[in-house]
Amino acid sequence: RAAAAAGTIMIVSMAATVAVEEIAAAAPEATLWFQLYVQPDMAFTERIVRRAEAAGCAALVVTVDSPGRGRRERDLRNGFDDLPAGMCCENLRDGDRVRPIVMSPDISWRHIDLLGRMTELPIVLKGVMHPADAFRALDHGVRALFVSNHGGRQLDTVPATADLLPGVV
């Protein structure tokens, strides 16, 4: 509702503890985009995409800057390795169970092409860090790019986004 009131876009995380359908119902005037980690099970990935479409999301933001989970020292020190009891990633609900998010190093341009054939939604890549990847993304039909290193939280020693941005632009 706040994003709608501000006239901006809300990107609904695949990891949200509130389902995309519920978010859309709470703010029907909001412009929602859906953030997606391509899952190894492409049939499940497609079910997630269909939910985002049915909820009225206007774009699919595919995260490509997290080939694996980072070792987060602060989380380890504080014993935070999962959501609190009673909470889950609702967008990963698959029937009676909730699947874990899989961050896969196997994501490739083939997956971007599959998504392009799977949906009419514009595809936005989040996590582009190199100019060559930006050009290649355009060749694969990607409509927009986010230069991102996932806040530096997934891979140590990755350059800062601000340093990468001029080369990608």
Side-chain angles (χ1 to χ4, degrees):
R1 289 185 295 260
T8 192
I9 297 165
M10 177 180 174
I11 301 174
V12 178
S13 174
M14 187 167 126
T17 57
V18 177
V20 64
E21 298 89 351
E22 191 175 335
I23 293 169
E29 69 285 355
T31 300
L32 302 178
W33 291 5
F34 188 82
Q35 178 268 333
L36 175 76
Y37 293 100
V38 174
Q39 300 298 283
D41 179 344
M42 285 305 290
F44 179 61
T45 298
E46 184 169 4
R47 287 195 298 276
I48 296 170
V49 169
R50 298 289 172 246
R51 286 179 61 189
E53 290 171 335
C57 291
L60 196 61
V61 180
V62 181
T63 298
V64 297
D65 60 1
S66 298
R69 284 194 193 269
R71 180 176 169 84
R72 297 180 181 172
E73 297 292 332
R74 183 183 308 158
D75 289 349
L76 293 172
R77 271 194 317 274
N78 292 309
F80 183 78
D81 61 355
D82 204 351
L83 293 170
M87 297 183 84
C88 65
C89 299
E90 287 294 340
N91 294 313
L92 291 165
R93 189 166 292 285
D94 189 17
D96 292 337
R97 70 181 178 133
V98 177
R99 293 185 182 214
I101 290 178
V102 177
M103 294 180 174
S104 176
D106 295 330
I107 189 168
S108 68
W109 294 109
R110 180 181 67 82
H111 293 97
I112 303 306
D113 293 339
L114 284 170
L115 289 170
R117 289 190 298 274
M118 183 184 297
T119 184
E120 294 293 318
L121 293 177
I123 294 176
V124 177
L125 285 192
K126 178 190 168 292
V128 175
M129 293 187 270
H130 194 278
D133 288 332
F135 282 113
R136 195 157 183 197
L138 298 175
D139 290 340
H140 285 269
V142 170
R143 299 281 297 278
L145 305 170
F146 288 152
V147 176
S148 171
N149 66 7
H150 215 87
R153 295 184 332 243
Q154 298 299 10
L155 298 174
D156 273 346
T157 72
V158 176
T161 300
D163 293 335
L164 298 169
L165 184 60
V168 174
V169 169

